[in-house]
Amino acid sequence: MRRLLARRMKFHLFGAFFVSLGCAALYKFGVADPRKRAYAEFYKNYDPMKDFEAMRAAGVFESAPPK
């Protein structure tokens, strides 16, 4: 029973490290990278003036009334 806590703590410490490393990798490749690609694809063809004119025509802005 000697050093039982130290042995178990070492095992759990390494296990927790590898589980957290796996979760971080899953988040990066499963969420962050696809999100970055989606934003890049959206802004590749995005025209802010066209979007502004569409919102202006719809009457979204108070300071820029529709024409």
Side-chain angles (χ1 to χ4, degrees), residues 32-47:
D33 285 347
R35 188 176 291 171
K36 285 180 189 178
R37 281 194 301 272
Y39 273 105
E41 184 65 32
F42 175 77
Y43 282 110
K44 192 182 300 181
N45 301 321
Y46 180 67
D47 183 16

Side-chain angles (χ1 to χ4, degrees), residues 46 48-67:
Y46 180 67
M49 287 308 294
K50 181 181 171 188
D51 198 26
F52 171 74
E53 290 300 329
M55 286 189 282
R56 184 181 198 182
V60 174
F61 303 115
E62 290 179 12
S63 62
K67 289 184 177 179

Side-chain angles (χ1 to χ4, degrees), residues 3-5 8-10 14 16 23 26-27 31 33 38-39 46-47 52-53 55 59-60 62 64 66:
R3 294 188 268 286
L4 178 63
L5 178 62
R8 301 225 4 124
M9 191 181 308
K10 188 185 299 184
F14 286 126
C23 288
L26 281 173
Y27 181 81
V31 176
D33 285 347
Y39 273 105
Y46 180 67
D47 183 16
F52 171 74
E53 290 300 329
M55 286 189 282
V60 174
E62 290 179 12

